[in-house]
Amino acid sequence: MEFEKKRRLMVENQIVRRGVTDERVIQAMLKVPRHLFLEEAVWESAYGDFPLPIGEGQTISQPYMVAVMTEKLELDKDSCVLEIGTGSGYQTAILAEICGQVFTIERIAALEKRARKKLEELGYTNIAFKIGDGTLGWSGLAPYNGILITAGSPKVPELLFSQLKEGGRMVIPIGNSFSQILTVVRKKDGKKIEEPCFGCTFVPLIGREGWEDA
Ligand code: SAM
């Protein structure tokens, strides 16, 4: 089956059927060629309903998880978003389709290099990349309309929360290193309003305000 058709089926069966309604997210998921962010050996599985390995012990998230996390950020063309955990760059591309500007931080240099190359090849010009500990944020460009953390954290990293705009939203898996609760954190009058959504499993967020490196 050709990839465009697989992508349409992925969106219909895994994303729309499970309740994602934001048209911007749906259009982005229909457009971005997920298989190109993976090794050719696994292209046939690229549109399956599961995460896949991307090397360095890390994973590309399940398509539904990418869609739902993006939807919960409530972004549009005027938004400036910070992503922690570039990984393969697939989620970064989805954000770049929807937002005016994306800033993304990855702690593993080899992944950052590969993701940056892929996203540049695909023609994205609204993404800024950084290698380092994303739990410290990217202060020079703050505050952000949205902050997306694509790794599991023991708590809301305070520095990251301080870089969120008033009225902005952070989406973050919070829990232990085996399972977490996907949580939306809104900033209202400078305070955190936390809305737990559902259980999930992410690789650990490693850094000063995350987990210690093993
Ligand atoms: N969104 C990615 C994608 O579409 O491929 C998947 C991200 S993967 C589940 C989580 C990523 O977070 C890994 O690449 C990992 O190296 C990275 N990571 C973990 N702790 C980090 C930190 N403190 N700062 C930046 N990246 C971090």
Side-chain angles (χ1 to χ4, degrees), residues 20 22 24-26 28-29 62-76 79 81 83 90-99 146-148 150 169 171 182 184 198:
V20 172
D22 186 331
R24 291 166 294 209
V25 176
I26 292 169
M29 302 283 299
Q62 176 196 24
Y64 172 68
M65 195 59 76
V66 173
V68 95
M69 288 174 103
T70 311
E71 183 173 62
K72 287 188 183 298
L73 285 167
E74 296 187 0
L75 301 164
D76 62 25
S79 304
V81 67
E83 178 193 37
Y90 173 68
Q91 169 81 72
T92 321
I94 298 294
L95 294 171
E97 288 289 336
I98 296 170
C99 303
I147 300 183
L148 178 60
T150 70
R169 298 162 79 89
V171 173
L182 189 73
V184 177
F198 53 82

Side-chain angles (χ1 to χ4, degrees), residues 2 6 23 29 63 78 89 100 121 130 137 187 193 202 206:
E2 81 237 33
K6 286 190 170 202
E23 200 50 41
M29 302 283 299
D78 297 324
E121 269 168 25
K130 186 169 168 174
K187 191 180 239 183
I193 313 273
F202 279 80
I206 294 170

Side-chain angles (χ1 to χ4, degrees), residues 58-59 85 87-88 91 105-108 111 132-134 150 203-204 206:
Q58 306 302 319
T59 52
S88 70
Q91 169 81 72
I105 309 177
E106 170 57 55
R107 64 181 284 274
I108 301 176
L111 292 180
D133 177 5
T150 70
V203 293
I206 294 170

Side-chain angles (χ1 to χ4, degrees), residues 183-196:
T183 307
V184 177
V185 185
R186 281 188 299 121
K187 191 180 239 183
K188 188 160 183 276
D189 303 325
K191 300 211 166 58
K192 296 186 198 88
I193 313 273
E194 293 191 30
E195 180 201 330

Side-chain angles (χ1 to χ4, degrees), residues 19 35 43 78 85 93 104 126 166 191:
H35 62 284
W43 279 9
D78 297 324
T104 185
N126 58 342
E166 176 64 25
K191 300 211 166 58

